[in-house]
Amino acid sequence: MMNWIALQTILRKEMVRILRIWPQTLLPPAITMSLYFVIFGHVIGSKIGLIDGYHYSQFIAPGLVMMSVILNAYGNVSSSFFSAKFTHSIQELMVAPVSEWTILIGYTLGGVIRGLLVGIVVLIVASLFTHIPIQHFFSMLAILLISAWLFSLAGFLNALFANSFDDISIIPNFILTPLTYLGGVFYSIQVLPSPWNIIAHFNPILYLMNGFRYGMLGISDVSPAIGLFIAVIVSASLAILCYILLKRGWGLRQ
Amino acid sequence: MRHALTAQNLVKIYGSGKMALDHVNLAIAEGDFFALLGPNGAGKSTFIGIVSSLVTKTEGTVHVFGHSIDDEILKAKQLIGIVPQEFNFNIFNRTFDVVVTQAGYYGVPFKQAKASAEDCLQQLGLWEKRFEAVRFLSGGMKRRLMIARALVHQPKLLILDEPTAGVDIELRRSLWVYLEKLNQQGLTILLTTHYLEEVEILCRNVAIIDQGRILVEKPVHSLLADLNGETFILDIDGILTETPTLESFSCRLISPNSIEMDLREGQTVNELFQVLDAAGIRVLSLRNKFNRLEELFIRLTGHSTERNMQKNEEGAE
């Protein structure tokens, strides 16, 4: 059962948090992405030439947006929910008549909102450096939303299991960031030598990255439909897993 | 009589194997001011934790105004306001936001939540601090904020877990006055404490819990009537090597030059001195051993609260 007012309250709380700590949430991606566009887009990109008919700075733009969305959606939920666990302020929600679905959807939508806000910031930064065409708007939006929700759910799962702040930084630092970089942000996997171009297909982020690139530029190394399908299946599975753990009070109740 | 809270055969066994609640049965009437009294580690917070969904029970049933926490948990939660023992705020949030957010979790619309939060903060003397981040509030203010937060959705049962632990006398007394007022307005209150004085002043009914078991549940006046004796500590002239045997009075040697004596109902201090005179014991000074809770515990359990605390510490190690 959904408690709509509680859902709005969680979302409002998350929004206030994101905007209150904007130097931690919105500013760093803007600076980092500006550097990426200056260094990779202009300095190095001018030597690379066109990829599938696009300048290098245009080619990397979708990947940089998606990378920011993924990392920020994940980071928002893992840090917000774990902080609530750490300070025991999560008890404010646990004693209230708020269903597990409401808590899960509230926190993960908070991650989606942060992901989208950062995505918009990066898009604005990108548009300052290069022309950003949008070929398939609804495909782009769909893959962006589902990716943000997927990684919000993953961040929630991480926070449920985490016992220390180290535990919520291990996965983003040692798994998520490498997979994102290897997911084709800066290159097409067609340029990889064998067997790496085959191995790259086992990286789920590759499908999301290329799905988004298809939406923006109309080009992709893999089928965008497969990316969307994988994202929906994984998101649904993660949502069910998080719900079951939350219902059992995993990491929350004694 | 309608019950605000009932627990039947409530059992909690923690992962470590420790049985924190051992088939607890408790019934609190609507409108009551009820105390759950016991030493540290007796099971008070576990009981409250189960009622408020922070602890998962092992066995038994709990009903809040007839709503089972197994089948109608959301309805049960809606009727409860919880004041935990430890501060559990996000310390970066503003005082006003803490209370408004909590109202939102209970389904109070935003506009109404703001009005209700203002009312609660005004009543608890925190309105001036509404824009202050929680981390800048004093300990007493944080304690009051927890009460405001628990009341913002207008619960029918207020549960306070040792609300006056570590609180100075002035604040403790002002909280007592406020809680009494709430109870007079019809709010059912369950209070855990290890201060017998608090129970005497505030509560109508009391249950004493020790090692997870309810030892006694009765009206406070009836319990206090059982405590009709007093214990005195006497400093004596000279040295005693063993406990003197005194007619009609129980006596314990606590050091070579001091003894502890019990004065039961009907016995007088004059009689006590006559017996001491007859035994050749000269008394230099006398003072009342003012620890009625301790005495109560010794009578009910056969051991002291200190021993209980020691056991808990050993368990924790």
Side-chain angles (χ1 to χ4, degrees):
Chain A
M1 192 177 72
M2 191 67 74
N3 176 342
W4 292 103
I5 295 174
L7 181 67
Q8 285 169 30
T9 307
I10 298 171
L11 283 176
R12 192 183 309 112
K13 180 174 72 77
E14 287 299 293
M15 279 295 290
V16 167
R17 177 181 170 274
I18 292 165
L19 297 176
R20 188 185 65 210
I21 55 170
W22 65 270
Q24 292 173 48
T25 53
L26 303 178
L27 191 60
I31 294 171
T32 312
M33 293 306 141
S34 298
L35 289 169
Y36 276 128
F37 279 109
V38 169
I39 297 166
F40 292 104
H42 275 252
V43 178
I44 297 173
S46 60
K47 309 266 189 294
I48 292 174
L50 298 179
I51 299 178
D52 290 331
Y54 288 101
H55 289 291
Y56 189 60
S57 55
Q58 287 176 308
F59 180 82
I60 63 171
L64 292 175
V65 172
M66 187 54 102
M67 183 168 81
S68 307
V69 169
I70 286 172
L71 293 176
N72 279 279
Y74 189 98
N76 193 74
V77 182
S78 62
S79 68
S80 178
F81 195 74
F82 180 71
S83 296
K85 249 177 77 171
F86 187 77
T87 59
H88 301 293
S89 62
I90 193 65
Q91 290 176 0
E92 293 177 333
L93 257 176
M94 289 171 65
V95 300
V98 183
S99 68
E100 288 77 12
W101 278 120
T102 310
I103 297 174
L104 182 61
I105 291 173
Y107 269 93
T108 52
L109 278 186
V112 171
I113 290 170
R114 159 110 171 249
L116 291 182
L117 283 175
V118 170
I120 290 167
V121 167
V122 176
L123 267 177
I124 292 168
V125 169
S127 64
L128 297 176
F129 290 90
T130 186
H131 169 65
I132 303 292
I134 293 176
Q135 303 288 354
H136 308 283
F137 177 76
F138 289 107
S139 292
M140 189 184 92
L141 189 65
I143 199 87
L144 193 71
L145 287 173
I146 196 73
S147 303
W149 196 50
L150 191 160
F151 284 95
S152 295
L153 286 162
F156 192 91
L157 192 64
N158 190 173
L160 275 177
F161 280 95
N163 291 314
S164 70
F165 280 98
D166 286 342
D167 294 344
I168 56 166
S169 66
I170 288 171
I171 290 176
N173 286 337
F174 297 105
I175 297 175
L176 217 50
T177 305
L179 282 181
T180 311
Y181 278 93
L182 295 171
V185 179
F186 297 105
Y187 54 82
S188 160
I189 57 161
Q190 288 165 12
V191 302
L192 292 176
S194 187
W196 298 109
N197 56 354
I198 308 290
I199 291 169
H201 282 85
F202 291 98
N203 178 359
I205 294 178
L206 174 86
Y207 296 90
L208 304 177
M209 206 71 86
N210 275 279
F212 191 66
R213 184 171 283 138
Y214 171 79
M216 271 180 83
L217 307 179
I219 56 168
S220 176
D221 290 336
V222 291
S223 162
I226 291 177
L228 200 59
F229 178 74
I230 289 174
V232 169
I233 296 295
V234 176
S235 298
S237 310
L238 275 178
I240 291 166
L241 178 62
C242 288
Y243 171 76
I244 291 169
L245 292 173
L246 204 51
K247 187 89 182 161
R248 289 184 180 178
W250 188 276
L252 300 171
R253 277 196 209 106
Q254 292 174 295
Chain B
M1 182 174 57
R2 195 177 177 209
H3 283 115
L5 180 67
T6 56
Q8 286 175 319
N9 288 317
L10 198 58
V11 175
K12 175 62 189 178
I13 303 169
Y14 283 109
S16 61
K18 186 192 166 167
M19 186 179 260
L21 292 180
D22 184 2
H23 296 88
V24 165
N25 290 294
L26 210 57
I28 300 172
E30 187 175 4
D32 200 356
F33 203 138
F34 192 97
L36 192 56
L37 179 70
N40 292 332
K44 305 187 296 294
S45 295
T46 299
F47 180 79
I48 283 183
I50 290 172
V51 175
S52 58
S53 309
L54 297 175
V55 176
T56 309
K57 64 186 167 65
T58 308
E59 277 176 39
T61 58
V62 175
H63 288 83
V64 180
F65 288 96
H67 300 295
S68 161
I69 65 163
D70 294 315
D71 307 323
E72 299 175 292
I73 183 66
L74 299 183
K75 284 183 182 167
K77 282 178 171 183
Q78 187 70 43
L79 299 167
I80 303 174
I82 295 276
V83 181
Q85 194 176 340
E86 306 289 340
F87 299 132
N88 60 351
F89 304 110
N90 179 339
I91 55 167
F92 298 104
N93 286 347
R94 296 185 315 170
T95 303
F96 189 62
D97 295 340
V98 166
V99 185
V100 173
T101 301
Q102 192 68 14
Y105 292 159
Y106 281 86
V108 182
F110 190 52
K111 202 174 166 186
Q112 197 182 323
K114 288 203 287 187
S116 188
E118 180 180 345
D119 186 40
C120 290
L121 290 174
Q122 293 271 21
Q123 286 195 47
L124 283 146
L126 289 169
W127 183 240
E128 299 301 314
K129 299 283 178 185
R130 63 191 179 280
F131 299 126
E132 206 81 71
V134 173
R135 65 183 186 279
F136 297 122
L137 299 183
S138 68
M141 287 175 184
K142 284 181 187 151
R143 187 72 59 186
R144 281 182 278 154
L145 180 58
M146 288 209 293
I147 296 175
R149 186 181 62 180
L151 291 172
V152 72
H153 65 286
Q154 297 176 331
K156 292 176 78 176
L157 169 64
L158 180 66
I159 300 176
L160 302 111
D161 193 2
E162 300 194 19
T164 55
V167 163
D168 65 46
I169 292 168
E170 195 185 349
L171 176 61
R172 182 180 300 175
R173 292 195 183 276
S174 69
L175 285 179
W176 286 350
V177 170
Y178 186 64
L179 293 176
E180 262 187 327
K181 193 178 97 181
L182 290 173
N183 182 242
Q184 281 162 10
Q185 289 167 354
L187 183 67
T188 309
I189 298 179
L190 165 61
L191 176 93
T192 76
T193 183
H194 47 235
Y195 298 126
L196 187 60
E197 188 195 8
E198 200 158 77
V199 177
E200 279 184 82
I201 291 171
L202 294 173
C203 304
R204 280 194 286 285
N205 291 292
V206 59
I208 293 184
I209 186 168
D210 182 52
Q211 295 180 9
R213 278 173 294 137
I214 300 288
L215 302 176
V216 63
E217 183 187 349
K218 53 167 64 176
V220 172
H221 66 80
S222 163
L223 183 81
L224 293 174
D226 296 342
L227 273 175
N228 45 21
E230 281 188 278
T231 302
F232 291 97
I233 295 170
L234 299 95
D235 295 319
I236 57 166
D237 188 13
I239 303 279
L240 286 175
T241 52
E242 58 182 31
T243 307
T245 309
L246 301 170
E247 196 188 332
S248 311
F249 289 93
S250 72
C251 177
R252 292 171 295 282
L253 184 68
I254 54 175
S255 77
N257 49 15
S258 62
I259 54 174
E260 196 175 272
M261 295 188 71
D262 296 328
L263 200 70
R264 300 280 168 231
E265 192 179 18
Q267 292 179 319
T268 65
V269 181
N270 292 41
E271 288 166 2
L272 178 78
F273 279 109
Q274 280 171 14
V275 171
L276 287 166
D277 264 343
I281 298 171
R282 256 168 58 83
V283 179
L284 298 175
S285 64
L286 162 145
R287 62 186 182 278
N288 200 330
K289 188 183 178 189
F290 197 74
N291 192 341
R292 302 168 75 202
L293 178 61
E294 190 64 38
E295 201 168 316
L296 190 69
F297 262 85
I298 292 166
R299 286 190 198 178
L300 288 169
T301 67
H303 61 75
S304 66
T305 53
E306 272 89 7
R307 204 201 82 173
N308 218 326
M309 284 160 74
Q310 203 179 355
K311 267 186 79 173
N312 289 325
E313 278 162 19
E314 282 165 8
E317 283 162 15

